[in-house]
Amino acid sequence: MKKRVTILTPVYNEEEVIELFHRAVTDVMTPLADRYDWDILFINDGSTDSSLEIMRRLQQRDPCVGFVNLSRNFGKEIAMLAGMEYAGGDAVVTIDADLQEPPEVIPKMIARWEEGFDDVYGSRLRKYPSAFRRFTSTAYHRLLAGISRDMDLTENSGDFRLLDRKCVDALIRIRETQRYTKGLYALIGFRKCPVEYDIKPRAAGKTKWNTGKLIKLAVDGITSHSVMPLRLASMLGIITSITAFIYLIYVLMKALIKGDPVAGYPTLMCVILFLGGFILLALGIIGEYLGRVFIETKRRPPYFVSEACGNFRDRRAEASDNDKKLRTEI
Ligand code: UDP
Ligand code: MG
């Protein structure tokens, strides 16, 4: 039996590019059709434009296309989780709809997969929209890799990658709702291998990320993979206390030995402001973690599906199959 490769694409307001994307992927995958079954699985992440209608049309015309329509916009990370749960392939290629990541790289990824690698990740040769983004992104990744030592973050890579079924099943088992998938790829391990590619400008449409969303993702990345900020807060607390203590002795000595009167107001003000700011910062950091705990303990389903069409993995059927198997075994 032929192995199946699922191309998984989250879509949020991409009406200008979906058809281009579909054509580009079809051109790349058709020559491989004698060796692999393949399909495209679009996850409509609450698009407000005509993306869903376009997907529906493509699905009716092309048996290789399937789509899952989420009940609203859940964000790319959750859309990818939904996609992985529905993807039926022995390998799943996650790729954006905007053709910034060239589908021509997919056959190279499949070749490496056949060599035995489980997580073949696209490694960007030229990547950033601006020098500022390059600086912030590199600094952030260094920081994250530094503070969470169990993670071996692969540099210059994003969500464009081929994952073996083993990796997909592992990612599905991680149920956190505030996901930083780039960290999760590192967390699950498995045999990794880079494939280089040149990132392109968007085929059409606009980027869905703004500074606010990027900051949220960055905070999620740190708080979901490390407790270093908490530790840092307590370290800073200790350092401040020790410094304050030394200063206290110095002031006391000066007053006792030299009989110097101490100017009270300015010193007091500095100390109060410094400590007040520091305490607020520490509280904020604790709050970030507490907020995550609060959200995760509610165990809400990460997403809701309003419709699914095409050749996807039917988890409800699988669950009831398992159920039957269990019952016959008992
Ligand atoms: N996307 C999504 N949900 C969102 C935002 C983005 O599914 O809330 C999808 C989007 O349609 C695209 C991919 O995620 O296929 C990457 O988005 P984009 O190209 O805007 O990000 P960039 O490449 O600029 O980082
Ligand atoms: Mg893009």
Side-chain angles (χ1 to χ4, degrees), residues 33-293:
D34 52 333
R35 276 176 292 151
Y36 300 96
D37 285 328
W38 67 276
D39 61 305
I40 302 178
L41 180 61
F42 289 115
I43 308 298
N44 180 35
D45 186 16
S47 301
T48 49
D49 63 358
S50 60
S51 297
L52 181 64
E53 283 75 63
I54 299 173
M55 280 177 219
R56 207 187 296 280
R57 228 184 305 132
L58 285 175
Q59 198 267 326
Q60 281 159 2
R61 216 173 58 205
D62 181 353
C64 288
V65 173
F67 69 87
V68 172
N69 184 26
L70 301 185
S71 61
R72 65 168 170 87
N73 177 253
F74 285 92
K76 184 185 177 191
E77 309 287 312
I78 294 293
M80 284 201 304
L81 169 69
M84 287 180 193
E85 297 207 280
Y86 277 85
D90 300 295
V92 174
V93 178
T94 46
I95 178 170
D96 291 350
D98 55 10
L99 291 174
Q100 283 192 284
E101 297 150 346
E104 301 84 69
V105 181
I106 297 175
K108 279 189 225 159
M109 291 180 157
I110 295 178
R112 305 316 299 268
W113 174 50
E114 289 292 2
E115 286 168 22
F117 291 98
D118 302 312
D119 175 358
V120 186
Y121 60 92
S123 173
R124 285 172 283 215
L125 290 175
R126 185 170 53 78
K127 50 188 271 193
Y128 302 99
S130 67
F132 178 71
R133 271 286 283 278
R134 177 173 62 216
F135 171 74
T136 45
S137 175
T138 326
Y140 177 73
H141 282 105
R142 295 256 159 87
L143 174 79
L144 193 58
I147 60 177
S148 48
R149 287 198 200 88
D150 57 325
M151 287 205 321
D152 182 16
L153 280 179
T154 48
E155 224 170 301
N156 290 345
S157 66
D159 291 319
F160 179 34
R161 52 180 76 217
L162 178 147
L163 298 163
D164 185 79
R165 169 79 5 222
K166 281 183 281 190
C167 300
V168 174
D169 286 343
L171 288 172
I172 293 174
R173 283 178 57 199
I174 300 176
R175 297 312 298 176
E176 28 184 269
T177 49
Q178 298 155 72
R179 297 170 85 82
Y180 178 69
T181 320
K182 281 197 216 34
L184 298 182
Y185 300 129
L187 186 94
I188 58 169
F190 295 103
R191 286 190 71 197
K192 300 189 188 301
C193 158
V195 167
E196 289 185 338
Y197 73 96
D198 249 325
I199 193 147
K200 302 216 177 94
R202 241 176 184 280
K206 286 201 295 275
T207 175
K208 304 298 171 308
W209 294 94
N210 53 33
T211 315
K213 277 192 183 177
L214 274 178
I215 291 175
K216 183 185 173 299
L217 187 70
V219 172
D220 276 354
I222 291 181
T223 50
S224 67
H225 291 284
S226 163
V227 289
M228 194 52 115
L230 286 174
R231 239 172 257 159
L232 212 65
S234 24
M235 293 283 286
L236 277 175
I238 292 171
I239 293 172
T240 325
S241 313
I242 294 176
T243 322
F245 186 70
I246 295 174
Y247 185 60
L248 177 95
I249 295 187
Y250 166 74
V251 172
L252 260 180
M253 286 303 179
K254 222 164 79 166
L256 286 179
I257 298 171
K258 282 199 188 162
D260 261 2
V262 189
Y265 185 72
T267 356
L268 216 62
M269 220 37 209
C270 286
V271 173
I272 289 177
L273 284 180
F274 171 69
L275 276 185
F278 173 69
I279 291 170
L280 280 182
L281 174 73
L283 270 181
I285 295 174
I286 297 172
E288 273 296 326
Y289 284 90
L290 192 64
R292 294 184 70 82
V293 173

